[in-house]
Amino acid sequence: MYKFLLFLLVLVMLSCENKNLPTKIILSENWEFKGVDTLDWQSAKVPGNIFSDLLEQKMIPNPFIKTNEDSVQWVSKKNWEYKTTFTLSKKQIQKKNIELHFEGLDTYATIYLNDSIILKTNNAFNKYTIDIKKSAKTSNNLRVVFENFNDIELKKEAEIWYKLPVQNRVYTRKAQFQYGWDWGPILNSYGIWKDVFIKAWDDVIFSDIYIKQDSLTAKKAVLSADIIIESNIEKFVELETWINSEKILTGIHLKKGENKLTIPIKIDNPTLWWTHNLGKPYLYRFDFKLFRKNKLLDQKIIKKGIRTIKLIAERDTIGQSFYFELNGKPVYAKGANLIPMHSFQDKVTSEKYRKLLSDVVTSNMNMLRVWGGGIYENDIFYDLCDEKGILVWQDFMFACAMYPGDAAFLKNVSEEVEYQVKRLRNHTSIALWCGNNENSEAWKRWGWQENRSEKEKQEIWDNYLMLFDSILPSIVAKNCNTDYWETSPKYGRGNPKYISEGDAHDWWIWHDEYPFEHLQEKVPRFMSEFGFQSFPSFEAVKYINQKDEIDLKTDAIKSHQKHVKGFELMEKYMKRDYKIPTSDEDYVYVSQLLQAKGIVMGIEAQRRAKPYNMGTLYWQLNDCWPAISWSSIDYFGNWKALQYKAKKAFENVLILTVKSKNGYEIYIVNDLLLESKGTLQIKIMDFFGKEIWSNTSKITVKADASQRVYQLLKKDFDHTKHFLSITFNNSSSIFYFAKPKDLILPKEPIERTISKTKNGFSITLKSNVLQKDVFLFTSEKGYFSDNFFDLLPNTTKTIHFKSNSTSLQQLSIKSLQSIQE
C-alpha cells in the first residue's frame, strides 16, 4: 500500500511539473484537399503530397506501374488546396505564445488562418513558424493553397536577360529529382510534406542549443553549449545540464526577449565515437532542463558523440589529397550515394529508414553521400547514422545546373541553408557539407558555355561563385565546425587532374563506354561517384509489368529505363564479359552480375591504392521507384548482386589479386587500426576441386594499409578451367584467370537441405563442382544472408533466409553455368 501511494505521489508531482512545459499539438487529422478549380473536397493525409492523396482516392492510376507515369502529368499543372479545422482549449488559448509550425511545404503556398492570409512560402526545404496568438480562436479553420510552379518558373525565367543551361527547376527550391532524372520519373508534387503543429507556451522556451566541441584529448573533452532562450519574463531561472548522470547547475537572470548564453562542459576520459567498422559509435546523452521555483519550464535532449572529423585536402607531391581523419586517424570511406527513398516522401516510414541503414552497416559501409538533387533527409536518418556509426557526406540541394543570382533567390537560399545547417549541426555523423553536385563540372565540360557572350558567361559564373564560394561556406563556418567542399567532383573527368586532386566522378564507365578495366588503370584520390546499371529484382520487374512472368520486351519496362542508351549499353558491356542469355529471367540475373563485376573491380582497385586513394562511394545505393537503374538495392529493398558483392569488397580485411607482367600480385588491404598476423594460404584448383599448386606462409599485415603479400609467377595451366583460392585468417578470396564467358564451367546439380529456424530457414548447399555466382530466389518475402556467391567444389555452405513465411517450397537456384545461352 505504501509503494502504491508513493507511486501516485510521483505521478502527481510529474504532472504538476510537466504542465508548465510548452504544449505541442500535432495537426495531422481532418485534412481535405481539392483542385482550386473544383468543388468536391476529398480526404487527405498530412504529412503527404498530392499524388499520394489522389492515389488513395483512386483518382489517378499508380504511376509506378506499366506506363502510367505519362497519364498523371496533368497533376503538376494544376493549383491545389488543403484545409482542416482544429480546436484549442481554453488553457491553450490563454498561453502567452501560440505558434503555428510548418516543417515542410512543397512549395509555393499561401496559408490562411480563419480566412486571413498569414504567410506565403517559396521554399520546400525551409521551416516556417508563424505567430498566431492574435488570430487564433477556440475553433480554427486552416487552409493552404498551392500555386502551380510552372507559371512561376516561366515568370522568373523571363526576368533574366539570358537563359540558364537548365530551365524550370533551378528557379524553385524543391527536390530537383521530381523534375525527372536518368533513374527517376517526372512526378513533380505539391503538398504539406512534413509535420504541421501548434506550439503554445508561457514564459520561457529553448529556441536553440548547439553543443560545440572546443578541444579533445584522451584525458579531457572540452565542450560548450551555446543556448538561446526566449523569455516573456525578467526572472531568475535555473538551468540543469545533465551529461549522462552528471549534473551542471547554472543560475540565469533572464531578460525579456532573446537570451544567449554559453555553458562550459568538461568530460574526463571521454569515450570517443567511431564508425562501426573501427569501434563503437558511442553517444552521450545531454539533457537540458529549465526550472523556476522547482517547476520544469522546458526540456531538450540531445544525443551526441565526441569525436574529431576533418577533411584533409592538402597539396602534396601528387596533387591534392582528399580523405577524412576521424579522431586523428585516417579513415577509408566505404559506401554509396543515397538518393531519396521514394518519389513520395510520405511513403518513407521510420521502419524503412531503419531497414536501409541496417543494410548499410551489414554491408560494411561506413559512409553515405546524401546527393544534392534530392532532399535534406528526415531527422531519423541522421539519428540512425549517429547511432550506427555511419558518416554522412551532406550535399546542399543543388545538382547538375547553374542557378540564378538575383537578390531574392540568394536570400531564399541563405535562409534555407542556415536553417538546415542549424538543424543538423549537432549530429555526430555529419562529416562534410558540399556545395553542389557536378555544377562546376557541367559548366566547364558539358558545352553550356557555347553560343554565349562573354558578358553572359561572366555573370553566370559570378553567380555560381557568389553562391558556392561565398554565401554557403560563410554560413557553414559561422554556424558549425564541419568542413565545407565547394563542388563534387573537384574536376570533371575531362580534366587530367581528376585522378590526382580532390574527389572524382568517373563516368568514363557507362557514359563513355570505357571497359571496366579502366577503373583499375585510373584511380583517383577519392571516388565519390561511379556506377553501372542493372535490372532490378524479379519482384520489381513483375510489379512494373503487372505480370507473373519475367518479360523485358514491354512498353512498361521501356518506360522505367530513364537513360536513353541504357539497354544498349548494358548489352554492349555484357557481350564483353558474359555470354548473352536467351531467356529474360536469365538476362536479369546476368545484368546484375555484370553490374557487380564492374563496380567491385573499381572498389578493389581503389582500396588497393590506399593511401593514395582514401574513399569509394559508388552510384547509387537505392531507388525512388521500381526501375532499371544504377542502384544496388531496388525499390522493394531487395539486394541486387552488387550489394552482396560490395559487402565482401568492403570488409575491413580484404584479399585482392591483380594481374601483372610476370604473373599475379596478391594484396591484403587492412582498414583496422591494428596490424594483423596470420597464415596466408594460396591454392590453384580446377573446377572439380583438384589442387594443382599451393603455398602456405606466415605474414604480418600492417595496420591501416594496403600491402602486397605475395608474387605469384606465371604457371602453365588452363586459365579457363582453374581458379585461385586464397585465405588469410577469417578472410577468403576467389580469383578467376579468364572472363566469365570464357570459363569452361562443368554443369552439375546443387544439392540442397532446408530446415526451419526460429526466424526463417537454414539452407545448406553442396556440389561436386564449383558453382559460380549461385543465386537463390523465391516468391516468399525475406532476406538471404548471402547470395550471388561462388560455391567451392565438394564443400558445404549454409545460408540463412530470414522470413516470416512458414514454408519455403518454391526456392529456386541459378548459377552461371545453368543459364540458357
Side-chain angles (χ1 to χ4, degrees):
M1 183 65 180
Y2 171 76
K3 289 183 178 179
F4 177 70
L5 290 173
L6 182 60
F7 174 71
L8 286 179
L9 180 61
V10 170
L11 283 180
V12 171
M13 290 175 65
L14 285 173
S15 65
C16 291
E17 182 183 76
N18 291 336
K19 73 178 183 179
N20 300 288
L21 287 169
T23 301
K24 186 175 181 179
I25 307 161
I26 305 293
L27 302 183
S28 59
E29 303 295 328
N30 305 317
W31 282 94
E32 295 179 300
F33 80 99
K34 73 177 185 69
V36 169
D37 58 350
T38 61
L39 297 176
D40 294 332
W41 289 94
Q42 305 288 335
S43 178
K45 178 186 173 185
V46 170
N49 67 83
I50 189 61
F51 283 104
S52 292
D53 289 330
L54 289 167
L55 268 171
E56 183 67 23
Q57 298 302 320
K58 297 181 173 52
M59 298 173 73
I60 58 170
N62 184 349
F64 282 14
I65 65 174
K66 298 184 178 179
T67 59
N68 289 346
E69 176 196 352
D70 293 339
S71 65
V72 301
Q73 292 306 307
W74 61 270
V75 174
S76 301
K77 298 174 183 178
K78 286 174 62 69
N79 298 336
W80 299 92
E81 59 182 310
Y82 284 73
K83 72 174 183 178
T84 190
T85 59
F86 65 93
T87 59
L88 297 174
S89 68
K90 188 175 181 180
K91 287 185 178 180
Q92 291 165 346
I93 284 287
Q94 290 173 347
K95 292 284 186 181
K96 296 176 184 176
N97 300 273
I98 307 174
E99 298 168 343
L100 175 60
H101 293 250
F102 285 92
E103 294 203 322
L105 290 165
D106 190 3
T107 294
Y108 298 108
T110 302
I111 303 167
Y112 297 82
L113 180 63
N114 300 325
D115 296 325
S116 296
I117 295 176
I118 57 173
L119 186 70
K120 290 191 174 184
T121 73
N122 62 354
N123 193 318
F125 301 130
N126 234 335
K127 176 181 178 178
Y128 295 97
T129 302
I130 312 157
D131 182 356
I132 60 169
K133 172 63 179 175
K134 294 181 179 179
S135 53
K137 303 174 183 178
T138 304
S139 180
N140 299 274
N141 299 308
L142 180 61
R143 190 161 60 99
V144 183
V145 179
F146 292 96
E147 187 176 353
N148 185 312
F149 45 80
N150 294 287
D151 297 338
I152 295 173
E153 288 162 357
L154 289 172
K155 181 181 178 182
K156 290 185 176 183
E157 178 187 342
E159 292 172 354
I160 301 179
W161 58 275
Y162 54 84
K163 288 189 177 294
L164 288 169
V166 176
Q167 295 299 302
N168 302 107
R169 67 178 173 87
V170 299
Y171 300 101
T172 298
R173 295 307 299 148
K174 66 180 295 176
Q176 304 284 271
F177 84 105
Q178 291 183 358
Y179 292 77
W181 224 266
D182 57 5
W183 39 258
I186 301 173
L187 292 170
N188 214 333
S189 194
Y190 305 83
I192 304 168
W193 74 291
K194 289 196 172 187
D195 283 340
V196 188
F197 59 90
I198 300 288
K199 184 175 276 189
W201 52 283
D202 275 327
D203 294 330
V204 296
I205 193 171
F206 286 121
S207 288
D208 187 54
I209 301 177
Y210 171 39
I211 302 174
K212 292 191 302 183
Q213 188 173 290
D214 300 319
S215 65
L216 177 63
T217 66
K219 292 185 177 181
K220 184 172 290 187
V222 179
L223 314 174
S224 56
D226 288 348
I227 301 173
I228 300 177
I229 300 170
E230 287 290 333
S231 177
N232 288 323
I233 57 174
E234 291 188 9
K235 298 287 185 181
F236 181 85
V237 297
E238 289 182 339
L239 171 64
E240 281 186 4
T241 305
W242 290 83
I243 303 97
N244 290 350
S245 59
E246 299 294 323
K247 182 173 75 171
I248 300 171
L249 188 61
T250 308
I252 312 165
H253 193 278
L254 295 177
K255 64 178 183 180
K256 287 186 178 181
E258 186 178 82
N259 295 263
K260 294 182 179 181
L261 64 147
T262 298
I263 304 298
I265 299 171
K266 294 181 181 179
I267 299 176
D268 293 328
N269 303 313
T271 301
L272 300 185
W273 183 95
W274 290 94
T275 54
H276 67 89
N277 67 311
L278 297 179
K280 183 179 179 182
Y282 183 84
L283 296 175
Y284 284 85
R285 176 187 166 101
F286 295 84
D287 190 352
F288 300 89
K289 297 179 179 180
L290 276 175
F291 287 94
R292 183 167 181 267
K293 295 181 178 180
N294 296 321
K295 292 180 180 180
L296 182 61
L297 304 177
D298 199 7
Q299 180 178 15
K300 188 173 181 66
I301 297 171
I302 297 170
K303 291 183 178 180
K304 186 175 178 67
I306 294 175
R307 55 92 176 114
T308 58
I309 184 76
K310 295 179 182 178
L311 172 64
I312 309 299
E314 298 175 344
R315 303 300 306 180
D316 55 24
T317 56
I318 306 165
Q320 183 192 37
S321 67
F322 191 105
Y323 66 92
F324 293 93
E325 191 179 80
L326 178 62
N327 299 324
K329 302 289 186 180
V331 56
Y332 193 94
K334 300 176 285 192
N337 287 259
L338 181 87
I339 65 168
M341 292 168 61
H342 202 289
S343 289
F344 312 138
Q345 182 63 22
D346 61 294
K347 304 298 184 185
V348 185
T349 63
S350 296
E351 186 52 43
K352 287 184 178 179
Y353 275 116
R354 290 189 185 95
K355 170 66 167 60
L356 185 69
L357 292 173
S358 292
D359 287 350
V360 166
V361 172
T362 301
S363 303
N364 301 307
M365 298 177 172
N366 62 8
M367 176 175 274
L368 293 177
R369 174 180 175 233
V370 179
W371 170 73
I375 62 172
Y376 304 95
E377 285 292 345
N378 285 1
D379 290 343
I380 188 175
F381 170 82
Y382 303 98
D383 290 339
L384 289 169
C385 287
D386 292 346
E387 294 170 14
K388 293 178 178 294
I390 304 166
L391 292 170
V392 175
W393 167 321
Q394 178 67 54
D395 279 4
F396 287 107
M397 293 301 115
F398 303 90
C400 303
M402 302 301 282
Y403 287 83
D406 59 278
F409 181 83
L410 295 178
K411 181 177 182 294
N412 190 8
V413 166
S414 297
E415 291 170 354
E416 165 197 326
V417 168
E418 183 171 356
Y419 165 64
Q420 293 293 345
V421 170
K422 287 182 175 181
R423 178 174 79 93
L424 299 177
R425 61 185 175 181
N426 281 318
H427 285 284
T428 312
S429 53
I430 301 284
L432 183 71
W433 283 100
C434 181
N436 65 77
N437 174 78
E438 297 184 347
N439 295 11
S440 177
E441 175 188 4
W443 179 247
K444 294 172 182 176
R445 188 175 179 272
W446 295 2
W448 287 358
Q449 298 186 52
E450 295 174 5
N451 302 316
R452 292 185 184 274
S453 67
E454 289 303 316
K455 184 181 178 183
E456 271 184 77
K457 290 189 285 187
Q458 190 64 52
E459 179 163 329
I460 293 170
W461 185 244
D462 284 348
N463 289 339
Y464 171 93
L465 293 176
M466 175 62 70
L467 184 54
F468 300 112
D469 201 39
S470 180
I471 293 175
L472 267 61
S474 65
I475 292 174
V476 171
K478 179 182 177 182
N479 292 288
C480 71
N481 58 5
T482 305
D483 288 320
Y484 173 85
W485 187 247
E486 178 194 305
T487 184
S488 180
K490 180 175 182 180
Y491 293 109
R493 64 187 184 278
N495 189 323
K497 292 181 179 180
Y498 90 98
I499 61 168
S500 60
E501 297 189 24
D503 72 310
H505 294 189
D506 193 327
W507 285 104
W508 293 111
I509 304 298
W510 186 265
H511 288 305
D512 294 279
E513 301 182 30
Y514 279 32
F516 289 144
E517 287 74 15
H518 159 81
L519 293 169
Q520 297 175 316
E521 299 161 3
K522 298 292 185 181
V523 176
R525 308 303 295 271
F526 190 107
M527 186 75 89
S528 48
E529 265 193 39
F530 71 114
F532 195 87
Q533 275 196 1
S534 76
F535 280 90
S537 65
F538 295 157
E539 179 186 9
V541 172
K542 292 176 181 178
Y543 179 80
I544 291 168
N545 283 327
Q546 295 291 289
K547 289 182 176 182
D548 286 335
E549 69 270 18
I550 302 299
D551 185 355
L552 304 183
K553 301 172 184 66
T554 66
D555 289 339
I557 291 294
K558 291 177 184 176
S559 73
H560 286 69
Q561 166 61 273
K562 293 301 182 180
H563 191 278
V564 65
K565 292 176 64 179
F567 294 132
E568 174 189 339
L569 288 171
M570 273 195 284
E571 183 96 355
K572 280 186 178 180
Y573 276 86
M574 195 179 290
K575 285 179 180 177
R576 296 174 186 175
D577 288 307
Y578 292 87
K579 295 173 182 176
I580 305 295
T582 56
S583 84
D584 284 356
E585 184 177 281
D586 288 343
Y587 198 95
V588 171
Y589 162 66
V590 175
S591 81
Q592 292 195 19
L593 295 181
L594 175 69
Q595 178 193 37
K597 178 178 173 60
I599 299 308
V600 168
M601 281 178 68
I603 292 171
E604 291 181 347
Q606 291 146 30
R607 291 194 66 188
R608 189 172 66 245
K610 180 181 182 175
Y612 174 84
N613 172 279
M614 284 299 290
T616 176
L617 307 176
Y618 64 78
W619 185 269
Q620 64 205 62
L621 179 65
N622 59 309
D623 278 324
C624 67
W625 77 322
I628 299 91
S629 80
W630 291 266
S631 71
S632 57
I633 299 177
D634 75 9
Y635 166 74
F636 290 105
N638 298 304
W639 285 27
K640 299 185 187 178
L642 173 55
Q643 193 69 31
Y644 283 101
K645 290 180 181 284
K647 174 185 176 182
K648 183 167 182 58
F650 284 147
E651 289 177 349
N652 272 341
V653 179
L654 180 67
I655 304 170
L656 300 173
T657 302
V658 60
K659 190 174 181 179
S660 64
K661 290 182 179 179
N662 299 320
Y664 298 89
E665 295 179 343
I666 298 172
Y667 286 78
I668 293 181
V669 181
N670 180 18
D671 283 347
L672 297 171
L673 303 180
L674 297 172
E675 68 178 22
S676 184
K677 296 181 180 181
T679 300
L680 179 70
Q681 188 174 62
I682 309 170
K683 296 178 182 180
I684 297 177
M685 305 172 68
D686 69 15
F687 295 149
F688 294 90
K690 181 181 177 181
E691 182 182 304
I692 67 167
W693 177 88
S694 67
N695 179 272
T696 301
S697 59
K698 297 285 187 181
I699 63 169
T700 300
V701 182
K702 296 176 183 177
D704 193 26
S706 172
Q707 181 176 329
R708 193 182 75 173
V709 293
Y710 195 84
Q711 175 76 41
L712 178 63
L713 300 177
K714 289 181 180 178
K715 298 186 181 295
D716 187 19
F717 60 91
D718 189 338
H719 285 190
T720 65
K721 296 180 179 180
H722 293 83
F723 67 96
L724 189 64
S725 173
I726 310 171
T727 60
F728 173 70
N729 294 344
N730 296 322
S731 301
S732 63
S733 171
I734 296 174
F735 177 81
Y736 295 93
F737 300 100
K739 289 185 174 184
K741 68 178 181 180
D742 297 324
L743 296 175
I744 302 175
L745 297 167
K747 295 188 177 183
E748 294 281 346
I750 300 174
E751 301 173 18
R752 72 182 79 178
T753 304
I754 302 173
S755 58
K756 186 75 179 73
T757 63
K758 184 178 179 180
N759 59 351
F761 300 87
S762 180
I763 306 162
T764 300
L765 306 176
K766 186 178 180 181
S767 177
N768 295 327
V769 301
L770 179 133
Q771 299 282 350
K772 183 157 177 38
D773 295 313
V774 176
F775 170 42
L776 310 177
F777 59 101
T778 175
S779 58
E780 303 292 344
K781 196 66 180 173
Y783 164 74
F784 291 99
S785 60
D786 199 3
N787 219 338
F788 301 96
F789 53 83
D790 294 343
L791 179 64
L792 293 175
N794 306 309
T795 62
T796 60
K797 184 178 178 71
T798 300
I799 304 298
H800 183 66
F801 181 62
K802 186 177 180 180
S803 175
N804 294 323
S805 299
T806 56
S807 65
L808 193 56
Q809 298 297 320
Q810 297 180 343
L811 177 68
S812 300
I813 304 177
K814 284 185 188 293
S815 64
L816 194 60
Q817 52 257 61
S818 72
I819 66 169
Q820 302 172 28
E821 299 169 11

